[in-house]
Amino acid sequence: MNALRTAFEQSTAMAPQQGCSVSVWQNGQELCTLCAGDARPDSPWQPHTLVPIYSATKAAAAACLLQALYDCCRGPELEIGALWPRFPLPHCTIGQLLSHQCGLAALAQPAPLEDLEQCRAAIEATTPLWQPPHHGYHPQTFGPMVDILMLELTGQRVSDYWESHVRRPLGLEFYIGHLPQALYPQVAHLRTARMLGSMPRTPFYKEYFDANSPVHKAFNSINGYNSAREMNTPAAWQCGSPAKGGVASARGLAAFYQALLGRLPQSPFAADVAEWMSTPQCSGQDLTLLQHSAFTCGTMCEPAEFFPGGGFGHAGAGGSLGCCTPQSGVSFAYVMGSMELGNLPGPRVQCLLEALGTYL
């Protein structure tokens, strides 16, 4: 872990006030958790500091749905129409939905994140822009789609299932809704990313700032908690969105992946769930991100520099990342308060992963 400590010290020295934390576990044991900078003004980042992790939540949400399917003796090959007859592509499978192949990233009409039935109606009214085997990241609609499937399957939303079946039994510092009010002071404040002056000149950002483009609509047709300012509120921490509602410490995010790999005592996840979440379902040009991507049932598995050694995981807006490598039993998590631009973590995280070297 000495190389990781050195890399972490070097990366944080460039911006000493920008709080962040990294945590590494292997085979059920916490190897290292490092912190730097401030979580709030005059409040240093601690190992138990919590922070919104945005789309890094998606892996935990997918794991819950897949475990619920397993408990019903089903799997990701189940057609969505069996649970949700009015879904626009009823013959698509749950695995195809979890790997962003259903073409419903951009809705025909906006809907509020906090009203699941309005989201359901908007999804049902939308004509898919593509079908399998094409894929494109669903940054926002992933949440209500997984929530509706979980509700139809178990009678519980993802946030309730996660709390009762995973977080509370394992004592994870990783909340999807249900954050106790006593822990509000432990939540770091997010700082907004630098904007237009330093915006990358890529096809994605050109489309993102065109309000009429499918890319813009993919990120904005679900309304609610779309800014760092909105995420710095108890309402956001309690929203329980399966797409971006997670609030976690680096330690808690890394421990989740240990549970997923079956390396924590009393893990609720079957080995099949980790297998489904580590097996690529699609790869190629992403019709939302406008770059190459690859997805499993609920996680990313490319680019290789973020998921080495056959690993998988999920990034979150601003630079957070949770991932694991099944062969080595290693899990890694990075969370931060000062957000960066980009759909994937930046050089700081890549440097930390490279420093882990043979551990992965």
Side-chain angles (χ1 to χ4, degrees):
M1 290 291 109
N2 288 337
L4 178 68
R5 292 178 187 275
T6 299
F8 187 71
E9 290 171 0
Q10 291 174 344
S11 68
T12 57
M14 295 182 290
Q17 297 304 311
Q18 295 182 6
C20 60
S21 181
V22 62
S23 186
V24 180
W25 292 54
Q26 185 174 34
N27 296 327
Q29 300 296 317
E30 183 179 11
L31 301 184
C32 188
T33 294
L34 305 173
C35 307
D38 291 337
R40 296 185 176 205
D42 301 318
S43 178
W45 204 288
Q46 303 286 348
H48 61 265
T49 295
L50 304 168
V51 68
I53 59 171
Y54 286 90
S55 288
T57 311
K58 288 182 170 75
C64 289
L65 179 58
L66 290 168
Q67 182 61 44
L69 283 168
Y70 178 87
D71 289 341
C72 295
C73 300
R74 310 303 293 263
E77 73 285 348
L78 180 67
E79 291 187 352
I80 297 168
L83 298 176
W84 185 356
R86 294 179 61 85
F87 187 75
L89 290 174
H91 297 299
C92 277
T93 67
I94 290 176
Q96 289 169 330
L97 181 149
L98 292 176
S99 53
H100 305 275
Q101 297 183 64
C102 289
L104 293 164
L107 297 180
Q109 59 196 47
L113 179 144
E114 293 184 322
D115 191 323
L116 188 60
E117 288 310 306
Q118 282 196 49
C119 289
R120 183 199 291 260
I123 292 166
E124 292 175 354
T126 298
T127 300
L129 294 181
W130 62 82
Q131 297 187 29
H134 302 294
H135 75 278
Y137 184 49
H138 290 50
Q140 302 277 22
T141 57
F142 183 95
M145 289 194 297
V146 173
D147 239 352
I148 290 165
L149 289 172
M150 178 65 86
L151 195 60
E152 297 295 340
L153 186 64
T154 69
Q156 286 186 297
R157 295 179 67 162
V158 167
S159 59
D160 299 325
Y161 184 98
W162 170 261
E163 179 67 14
S164 62
H165 287 72
V166 184
R167 197 215 63 78
R168 193 188 308 137
L170 297 179
L172 297 182
E173 293 179 346
F174 183 171
Y175 296 84
I176 305 176
H178 301 281
L179 179 67
Q181 189 171 351
L183 296 184
Y184 287 2
Q186 281 182 217
V187 183
H189 279 188
L190 294 170
R191 300 179 184 179
T192 306
R194 297 187 306 275
M195 292 304 286
L196 295 174
S198 58
M199 191 64 62
R201 297 179 180 273
T202 65
F204 169 80
Y205 282 106
K206 180 180 178 180
E207 293 294 312
Y208 180 83
F209 285 102
D210 177 356
N212 295 314
S213 75
V215 171
H216 178 88
K217 291 177 181 178
F219 284 85
N220 294 282
S221 55
I222 300 275
N223 301 320
Y225 312 118
N226 288 335
S227 71
R229 179 181 57 82
E230 291 177 298
M231 293 297 283
N232 287 328
T233 63
W237 308 335
Q238 298 288 15
C239 74
S241 166
K244 61 179 183 180
V247 178
S249 65
R251 173 183 285 164
L253 182 56
F256 154 64
Y257 281 94
Q258 289 292 301
L260 183 58
L261 294 178
R263 307 301 169 92
L264 290 186
Q266 300 180 323
S267 170
F269 297 114
D272 283 3
V273 173
E275 180 68 21
W276 294 331
M277 294 185 70
S278 64
T279 302
Q281 299 293 311
C282 60
S283 178
Q285 181 70 3
D286 189 301
L287 297 176
T288 300
L289 301 179
L290 304 182
Q291 64 185 59
H292 185 93
S293 68
F295 292 94
T296 74
C297 290
T299 70
M300 302 172 165
C301 53
E302 292 183 19
E305 57 263 34
F306 295 111
F307 310 107
F312 63 94
H314 215 291
S320 59
L321 177 69
C323 62
C324 64
T325 305
Q327 185 173 352
S328 66
V330 169
S331 62
F332 169 96
Y334 176 86
V335 301
M336 75 294 131
S338 183
M339 301 179 70
E340 299 176 352
L341 296 171
N343 298 310
L344 289 169
R348 177 180 295 183
V349 175
Q350 187 174 343
C351 177
L352 296 175
L353 288 166
E354 289 174 354
L356 286 175
T358 57
Y359 281 94
L360 299 173

